[in-house]
Amino acid sequence: IGDVCGKGVAAARHTVRLRYELRILLEEGHPPGRTLTRFNRQVIREIAEDEYVTLLLLVLDPATGAVSWSSAGHPPPVLACPGPRALAFAGSLPLGLFPDAGYQTARFTMQPGRCLVLYTDGVVEARNLDGQELGTEGLEAAIPPMSASAAAIAEVILKQVLSHTGDHLDDDAAVLVLRRE
């Protein structure tokens, strides 16, 4: 899941082209951190100096539950195990800003029945009329019990974001839920 700086046609054009280039790199089978390091160089060639991309790249093996992931300036995923918690990550730079940026890969095993919630910053930075952000705590509180399907979890979270903001979003808000059966 990612977010391209900007709005409108230019951002959409970058998104389409970069998504295609990332898929080509993913076919090489490198860990997410190494893939993002290589992808960063391509992003720098593709976009203007004052633009950037945040991206969370996560690979899940559904058979074993092995997860490897890396972030390029993107919020960390939330693991919904009995109680939701954001996964710790040392931090990283968005893509397209620094040609020598390197990205690390984190790993863990996701147990059957668990979910991962990936989201854009528009979710946690959504502000209510008093200017308060939903925040990671608000996101975690919005995650329903694990008996819900991945689609239902995403729907509940997005409804909570809209409720928090009074149905007015200042930024894109996207949620992707992965569930291991």
Side-chain angles (χ1 to χ4, degrees):
I1 190 166
D3 197 358
V4 174
C5 169
K7 302 215 183 295
V9 175
R13 188 179 65 236
H14 289 316
T15 300
V16 170
R17 188 172 49 240
L18 292 173
R19 184 183 313 156
Y20 172 76
E21 292 175 5
L22 179 59
R23 285 183 177 161
I24 291 171
L25 285 174
L26 287 169
E27 289 176 6
E28 295 176 5
H30 297 295
R34 184 168 175 201
T35 300
L36 287 182
T37 299
R38 294 185 64 209
F39 188 52
N40 181 54
R41 292 183 209 115
Q42 288 183 264
V43 172
I44 287 173
R45 287 191 298 268
E46 294 284 334
I47 65 175
E49 280 186 28
D50 61 340
E51 296 177 328
Y52 61 90
V53 175
T54 67
L55 181 68
L56 183 118
L57 181 57
L58 185 141
V59 177
L60 166 65
D61 180 340
T64 65
V67 175
S68 57
W69 67 282
S70 185
S71 174
H74 204 81
V78 172
L79 178 62
C81 37
R85 64 178 173 84
L87 297 176
F89 194 71
S92 59
L93 298 168
L95 300 164
L97 296 176
F98 302 98
D100 296 330
Y103 300 89
Q104 303 298 314
T105 298
R107 292 177 172 80
F108 67 95
T109 300
M110 191 163 102
Q111 300 302 317
R114 303 297 188 230
C115 291
L116 277 169
V117 178
L118 287 63
Y119 53 96
T120 59
D121 63 351
V123 171
V124 292
E125 293 175 1
R127 296 182 183 275
N128 65 13
L129 297 176
D130 295 328
Q132 295 174 317
E133 291 184 349
L134 179 69
T136 305
E137 300 81 18
L139 168 64
E140 291 174 355
I143 297 173
M146 296 293 35
S147 60
S149 70
I153 292 170
E155 185 177 339
V156 167
I157 291 169
L158 288 173
K159 282 182 179 177
Q160 179 58 35
V161 170
L162 289 172
S163 174
H164 178 77
T165 64
D167 290 329
H168 175 74
L169 293 175
D170 293 325
D171 194 5
D172 298 335
V175 175
L176 174 64
V177 179
L178 304 173
R179 183 178 180 98
R180 180 169 181 234
E181 295 301 329

